[in-house]
Amino acid sequence: MRSPVLPLTWHLARASGRRGLQSQLLAAVVAAVSAFVLLMMIAVSLGSGERADRTDWRTPDAVPAKQATAVQALATTYVRHKPVTVVSLAQLPDRKATPAPPGLSSFPKRGEVYVSPALAELMRELPANQLADRLPKPASYGTLGAAGLASPDELVAVVGRASSDEAVSKAAEGGNFFDEGQTERAEVAGFTSTRASLFTSFDQQMAVLGVALLVMPVIVLAAAAGRLGAARREQRLAALRLAGATPRQIIAMTAAEAAAVGGAGALTGALAYVALLPALAEIPYGVGGWYTGQLWVGLPWFAAVVLAVTALITVSAVTMLRQVATSPLGVAQQANPRRTRMIRLVLFAGTLGYVFLTTKGGQLGPRQMLALLALFYGAFWVFGPWVVDRLGRVVGRYARRPATLLAARRLSDDPGGAWRTVSGLVLAGFVAGFFSVSQLQFDGGPDRQGQVAVLTADSAATQRAVTEARTLLREAGVKATVTAPSEDDYLTLLSGSPGLIAQVSGGEDQLDAAATALTPVAAGRPPFTQDYAGAFDNVPVNRIGMVSTATLAMSFLVAAVSAGLTAAANVLDRRRVYGLLRLAGTPLKLLDRARTRETALPLAVLAGGTTGMGVYGAFQFNEAFGSTINASGALQLTLCVTVGTLAMLATIAASRPLLRRVTANPAQTAD
């Protein structure tokens, strides 16, 4: 016999009217947004790893001298404060041919220069004495293909040289502590390596950190989709249950409806992600924008996200039916408000204590940190409804205004629903507290701005280089003071190494011109500036700054969307209650103020707690990196919380016209 579940589900969905359709559309929108954001987070994490893999050929593993077929030297120079990676390659004589590096069709011959499209464009924009003259001048420049680049915006040059050239000699090996990842030399037989470029090696770690902090608000948003229209669904299914439907049939009907709505929304969001890939690839991160293919997650991840969002919405909807299955008459009469138990407080205290004790030492790996973060989020998810319930009871006891009393009654009657409205911003408060004060600040040492340094072999070579440098700078029209610091002076860019310092007067044009003019003076090493010396510290700081800005913006946006959609769905679910209140003479403004306070009260209490936990996590993070706390973090934190709260209240206020329409004819609404 054919099951009546699906036909009855379809009939009830069509018969639910305009209000039911609105709830279903809201749920589909939430599912679409959740799937889109999840796919974007996965894409950034996977794409960052792929970008790092595209740069490891620049630091290949060295092989024994007898097996080597070529010499490779990595050098880094800066123009307009941007890194320019220069890879010099020289085929060793009487050795077998070396395979082509990624992005080229053949191994470069002596005198050939290949540049990335972004570098070629920059060389055309800037005067030759500020950039192009740092490289050999071939008859024409070749183009380095995308296979050898992490980003279309990356500045990379590959130069073919003779094996006797100083640029690939042992002088190009580096030796200063700030050479790591920027200056290397190796005898190679190919381009196999597991070491990514300094400028891409931190990207995936920071992206995963941002995803870990953002994933819970997104899950909360997706779960909220399954609960949209919950009150209407409970009333309808309770009537069916009283009419003889079994619990299994009730659950099957709910699951079918939620899966259909959630699946359609999730698929729509996933397709929107695919359609917007070219536009999303223009968003810069790290070394620049993306190649579109780097942000494509692949069919397995695509299908997994659609199915996961659908399953999450379905499970969320089904879990709301426990009372319908066990006490349909109580649901139909809207009896027995949902109370919370003290065990939630015990579980929260135990979990929080465990997290504190575990993180006290500060020696945790990435997986342990992610596990503790998930545990922390779960603890607040359990604890939140309990706080809302107790808060509603306390406020209701001491309320002096009608709007406050109505808000308190709603909080205590449905603490889970009130918690779901504010949970996104409450969890986003943790993100704000963490990132606002976790901006790493390292001691930058003495002021070295305007300095251009050139390394030399010894003191005698330094004296000759000083004379040559003064001549070259004068001919280039650069005003600079050239000195040879003592090797005991560690306050300059040389940090005690033999060489000269040119203190340049003027802006970045003069600084770049000086670095270009001094290139012939350096013995196998390009001149360098403060950008080069501080890169090892500045790169992770820059990535954390990018991730923090994006994560804060996304978390508050998701929280605001979640609150707005939940508030709109609550208006539809409570239209009977609102209708009765309007028939009793309650002004519409009073109902609207009660809705606002229903959000503001738990938000003020719970968001403060999670924000404090985020600040604590930032202290632990900075301690692990040996860094100081961001001094401007308090101002940024206040700004983030204020903007997030205002955004949430604005989205809730956006459902005011819906409240007006729902209560426009209270005699019919409150039947």
Side-chain angles (χ1 to χ4, degrees):
M1 180 177 177
R2 184 180 178 184
S3 172
V5 170
L6 291 179
L8 184 57
T9 302
W10 173 246
H11 172 74
L12 291 176
R14 289 191 304 168
S16 60
R18 187 177 61 180
R19 305 303 185 195
L21 179 61
Q22 288 174 337
S23 294
Q24 292 168 352
L25 288 176
L26 286 174
V29 170
V30 173
V33 173
S34 302
F36 180 85
V37 175
L38 283 174
L39 284 170
M40 269 305 304
M41 293 192 300
I42 295 172
V44 172
S45 299
L46 298 179
S48 298
E50 182 181 343
R51 296 212 299 185
D53 293 340
R54 290 194 182 190
T55 63
D56 57 13
W57 66 272
R58 302 169 197 172
T59 53
D61 297 330
V63 299
K66 293 183 179 180
Q67 301 177 15
T69 61
V71 179
Q72 174 170 335
L74 170 69
T76 307
T77 185
Y78 285 78
V79 59
R80 296 296 190 270
H81 306 292
K82 297 179 181 179
V84 180
T85 301
V86 181
V87 180
S88 296
L89 296 171
Q91 175 71 37
L92 291 174
D94 303 325
R95 303 289 177 91
K96 66 178 183 180
T98 307
L104 297 181
S105 58
S106 61
F107 191 86
K109 299 178 181 179
R110 177 183 179 182
E112 292 182 340
V113 179
Y114 298 85
V115 296
S116 63
L119 180 57
E121 182 179 354
L122 188 60
M123 290 169 65
R124 289 191 294 267
E125 293 177 0
L126 296 179
N129 68 341
Q130 294 183 24
L131 176 59
D133 289 347
R134 303 184 195 185
L135 302 174
K137 292 184 178 180
S140 63
Y141 292 99
T143 300
L144 180 62
L149 298 171
S151 163
D153 300 324
E154 201 175 16
L155 306 177
V156 183
V158 178
V159 182
R161 300 185 185 272
S163 58
S164 58
D165 197 306
E166 282 188 336
V168 293
S169 66
K170 291 189 176 181
E173 290 181 348
N176 288 319
F177 68 90
F178 43 70
D179 287 333
E180 185 174 353
Q182 300 188 91
T183 298
E184 294 188 34
R185 176 188 178 274
E187 295 182 350
V188 301
F191 299 94
T192 302
S193 175
T194 57
R195 294 179 299 151
S197 166
L198 168 67
F199 306 105
T200 59
S201 59
F202 295 97
D203 291 1
Q204 190 171 38
Q205 300 175 33
M206 297 300 104
V208 170
L209 175 62
V211 168
L213 292 171
L214 186 58
V215 69
M216 187 55 68
V218 176
I219 291 177
V220 169
L221 176 63
R227 296 182 172 94
L228 294 177
R232 175 188 57 83
R233 187 187 301 123
E234 281 187 347
Q235 289 290 312
R236 184 184 65 192
L237 295 179
L240 289 174
R241 182 81 174 88
L242 291 172
T246 66
R248 179 176 298 180
Q249 289 174 327
I250 293 297
I251 292 174
M253 292 173 60
T254 302
E257 180 183 354
V261 174
L267 184 59
T268 301
L271 293 177
Y273 151 78
V274 175
L276 293 174
L277 274 178
L280 295 173
E282 298 297 323
I283 300 175
Y285 173 58
V287 292
W290 306 76
Y291 291 106
T292 303
Q294 293 172 337
L295 292 179
W296 168 238
V297 297
L299 286 177
W301 276 110
F302 182 91
V305 167
V306 173
L307 293 176
V309 172
T310 304
L312 183 60
I313 292 174
T314 304
V315 171
S316 176
V318 170
T319 55
M320 299 293 294
L321 299 180
R322 182 178 61 180
Q323 193 176 9
V324 175
T326 58
S327 180
L329 185 59
V331 172
Q333 295 178 344
Q334 295 185 340
N336 299 325
R338 301 174 178 86
R339 297 299 184 189
T340 56
R341 299 179 180 179
M342 188 66 69
I343 188 63
R344 291 175 178 265
L345 176 61
V346 176
L347 290 175
F348 175 76
T351 303
L352 211 60
Y354 175 75
V355 171
F356 282 158
L357 292 176
T358 306
T359 58
K360 192 173 182 180
Q363 301 296 327
L364 294 175
R367 292 185 179 180
Q368 290 89 345
M369 290 296 293
L370 291 178
L372 287 176
L373 184 62
L375 191 63
F376 173 82
Y377 275 146
F380 261 97
W381 189 255
V382 171
F383 183 56
W386 184 88
V387 175
V388 173
D389 189 4
R390 268 55 184 182
L391 180 65
R393 297 184 192 184
V394 172
V395 172
R397 181 176 301 175
Y398 298 102
R400 294 292 182 269
R401 295 180 179 275
T404 306
L405 183 60
L406 284 174
R409 180 60 188 271
R410 288 305 310 167
L411 293 178
S412 59
D413 280 354
D414 187 11
W419 158 250
R420 286 189 293 273
T421 302
V422 300
S423 58
L425 188 58
V426 169
L427 297 179
F430 177 82
V431 179
F434 180 85
F435 276 126
S436 294
V437 297
S438 66
Q439 298 291 324
L440 302 180
Q441 291 187 338
F442 296 97
D443 183 10
D447 184 14
R448 298 165 175 169
Q449 298 301 323
Q451 291 185 4
V452 180
V454 176
L455 290 170
T456 57
D458 49 41
S459 299
T462 299
Q463 296 303 318
R464 295 192 298 270
V466 166
T467 302
E468 183 181 1
R470 288 170 177 165
T471 302
L472 291 173
L473 290 172
R474 184 171 58 254
E475 293 175 352
V478 177
K479 296 180 180 180
T481 302
V482 182
T483 59
S486 169
E487 295 185 15
D488 295 329
D489 184 0
Y490 291 90
L491 299 181
T492 67
L493 282 177
L494 295 172
S495 298
S497 300
L500 62 87
I501 293 289
Q503 185 67 50
V504 181
S505 301
E508 58 184 15
D509 292 353
Q510 290 289 295
L511 193 66
D512 291 337
T516 305
L518 294 176
T519 298
V521 180
R525 293 281 304 276
F528 59 92
T529 61
Q530 174 63 29
D531 293 321
Y532 180 94
F536 193 79
D537 290 337
N538 293 336
V539 169
V541 171
N542 174 267
R543 300 302 183 268
I544 291 176
M546 288 183 174
V547 169
S548 66
T549 302
T551 305
L552 283 172
M554 288 298 298
S555 61
F556 281 113
L557 178 62
V558 168
V561 170
S562 177
L565 291 174
T566 305
N570 286 341
V571 170
L572 296 175
D573 287 344
R574 300 172 186 171
R575 62 185 181 276
R576 181 175 182 274
V577 176
Y578 288 138
L580 291 172
L581 289 171
R582 292 286 287 129
L583 284 174
T586 306
L588 186 63
K589 290 184 178 180
L590 181 62
L591 294 179
D592 195 48
R593 284 199 296 268
R595 287 196 319 133
T596 303
R597 293 179 189 183
E598 183 183 340
T599 300
L601 289 173
L603 186 63
V605 174
L606 288 166
T610 53
T611 303
M613 295 299 99
V615 173
Y616 173 80
F619 272 98
Q620 297 296 319
F621 182 79
N622 284 60
E623 182 180 349
F625 275 85
S627 171
T628 58
I629 290 295
N630 182 9
S632 61
L635 178 61
Q636 183 179 355
L637 178 59
T638 303
L639 181 63
C640 288
V641 173
T642 302
V643 171
T645 303
L646 291 177
M648 173 171 283
L649 294 177
T651 56
I652 293 175
S655 59
R656 188 177 299 158
L658 181 61
L659 176 64
R660 184 180 298 108
R661 287 197 301 271
V662 165
T663 59
N665 194 346
Q668 294 182 6
T669 308
D671 46 349

